[in-house]
Every structure is written in C-alpha cells, then in structure tokens.
Amino acid sequence: AVADFTVNAPSSTAQTLGPVTGQAGTVTSAGTLTVAGGTVAVTISGNNATLTNNGTISQTGKSRVIRDNTGVTGLTVTNAAGAVMQAADADVIQMNKSPASVVLNNYGTMSSLNASKGGAQAVDFNAIISGSNVINNFSSGILQAIDADAVRPGVNGVVNNYGLIKATNTTDTGDDGIDAQTNTGVSVHNFSTGTIEAARHGITGGNITGSGAYAMSIANDVGGMIKGNDGSGINIDGINKNELVTIN
C-alpha cells in the first residue's frame, strides 16, 4: 500500500509507508499486525512518515518488524504503553541506509527473540553515519534482545532511557545493553528510573581500528543503574590516544 493505513483488527497484511512523503500508519489497541516468512511487517520508504502502535506488531518469521532500506528523513515511531513490537528472528527496527533521521519513542515493549542467534537487535540504527537518530525509552518502556545487543545507535546517536534496556543470553555471553560500536558522538542519558543491564557490558563502544577520534558521553542519574553481568557497567575500547569519553 502507498497510503495511510489503520489496523484495528487482526491482520496479516504487510504495510508500507511511502514512497509518498508524510504518510501515517496506526495499529489501534484492538489491532494486531502479524506477518510471517521473510516479509517486513512495516516498510518505510517515504520521508516524514509516522508510525504509531497501540496494539501488537509481530514478525513471526525471519524478517524485521520495521525497516528503512531507503534512507528516509523525519521518521517518527511511537510504541505506546502496553503495546508490543516483537521479532522472532530479526531486528525489531532497523534503519539500514544513511543519511537518515529517526525518532523512536517507546513506552511499551520491543523484543527481539533472535531464535537463530544471528545478532538481531531490538533497535539497530548502526548504519546511520549522518543525519540524526534519537531513542527515547520512557519509564514503562522495555527494549530487549536475547543473545544480541539490545540497542545499537548510529553516529551522534542520542539515547534517553527512563525504562529498561536489557540484553540477556542463553548461550552467548557477548551481548551488550547499548553497543555504539565504532560510531562516534553517541550520547546516553540514563535517568533516575532507568536500568541498562546486559549479559556482558551495560554500555560499550570505541575505536578498534585506525587513528580516528572517538567520542561518547554518558550521564547516569541518582537512582539509575548501568550493569554488566559478565563484563563492565561501561566498557570503552581504544587503540590510540584519540578517545574522549565523558561519564557523569
């Protein structure tokens, strides 16, 4: 479909927002969008799209719940309190082209079950190297992945966490809560109600090749917890003298 959509009953029809700009998609509290196989549940291909989930969006096969493979700007995704986005064996949301810009507002639960242990995140914005990427995980929000990193922000990514960001493991111990990888400029604010917990590191990133600069800033408010169960609360990798990481 290349128009606005509303899902207010059980549906198995995959949806698209775009390529026309400014389209809106809504799953109501009575709505359930369940897509199987290798088809993305909601494909984003137009700028300034808005997706609001008040019910359930589920991908039960091997594809993503939400994906941009175009490089869109102005995308806003809101997962409401009590709402669920779940992927059986892929990322819940992936931005796969750059430049792009996206704001994710999560009040509900976004879960990657990652059945084949292929490294599927709840949020994967790793491909964004220019543009903007903002993740707001509110106090009722849960961003979680099994046997994978929960959140991978892009370059200059912003993560505001008031809720729970968690990576758990069954067989793999290399799972982090927030993994910025080599993406510089990431800013994480863990508020007083926030918990970032992982099988390995709570938050990690850094330079592992070359001589370029790497920056990150982390603020952890009184009452907030950043925890690594088989690693560090915060782990920064570096091979040169050009890492600048500020932790408050």
Side-chain angles (χ1 to χ4, degrees):
V2 288
D4 294 356
F5 71 83
T6 299
V7 176
N8 51 24
S11 173
S12 59
T13 303
Q15 301 290 337
T16 298
L17 292 174
V20 178
T21 191
Q23 292 185 341
T26 302
V27 177
T28 70
S29 58
T32 302
L33 177 58
T34 305
V35 178
T39 303
V40 175
V42 181
T43 297
I44 311 297
S45 62
N47 294 333
N48 300 322
T50 302
L51 176 64
T52 304
N53 178 42
N54 296 297
T56 299
I57 308 177
S58 177
Q59 216 296 342
T60 61
K62 291 186 175 294
S63 193
R64 295 163 179 88
V65 175
I66 304 165
R67 192 184 200 210
D68 161 40
N69 200 30
T70 303
V72 301
T73 59
L75 172 62
T76 301
V77 176
T78 301
N79 191 45
V84 174
M85 294 183 181
Q86 181 171 287
D89 203 13
D91 308 311
V92 179
I93 179 170
Q94 184 194 50
M95 303 291 288
N96 199 42
K97 295 288 184 180
S98 187
S101 63
V102 57
V103 175
L104 170 65
N105 298 311
N106 181 51
Y107 300 84
T109 300
M110 300 176 65
S111 299
S112 172
L113 304 182
N114 195 30
S116 66
K117 301 174 176 48
Q121 281 75 55
V123 181
D124 181 9
F125 294 165
N126 179 59
I128 297 178
I129 58 174
S130 64
S132 63
N133 59 112
V134 177
I135 300 163
N136 297 312
N137 189 46
F138 294 96
S139 58
S140 55
I142 300 172
L143 299 173
Q144 60 187 5
I146 298 173
D147 290 309
D149 302 331
V151 172
R152 287 188 177 180
V155 169
N156 295 325
V158 175
V159 181
N160 295 310
N161 181 51
Y162 304 81
L164 176 64
I165 296 175
K166 189 170 185 178
T168 59
N169 69 290
T170 57
T171 58
D172 180 11
T173 59
D175 311 316
D176 306 311
I178 298 173
D179 187 352
Q181 302 200 311
T182 58
N183 287 332
T184 189
V186 170
S187 173
V188 178
H189 192 163
N190 192 44
F191 290 82
S192 61
T193 56
T195 296
I196 301 169
E197 181 178 1
R200 186 172 61 176
H201 307 308
I203 300 172
T204 190
N207 241 347
I208 56 173
T209 60
S211 58
Y214 185 88
M216 179 186 281
S217 64
I218 300 167
N220 189 43
D221 287 0
V222 172
M225 182 175 74
I226 302 172
K227 181 179 181 181
N229 286 309
D230 194 20
S232 304
I234 299 170
N235 172 79
I236 305 300
D237 297 311
I239 60 167
N240 56 46
K241 298 178 181 180
N242 295 321
E243 283 74 40
L244 177 60
V245 177
T246 303
I247 300 170
N248 293 320

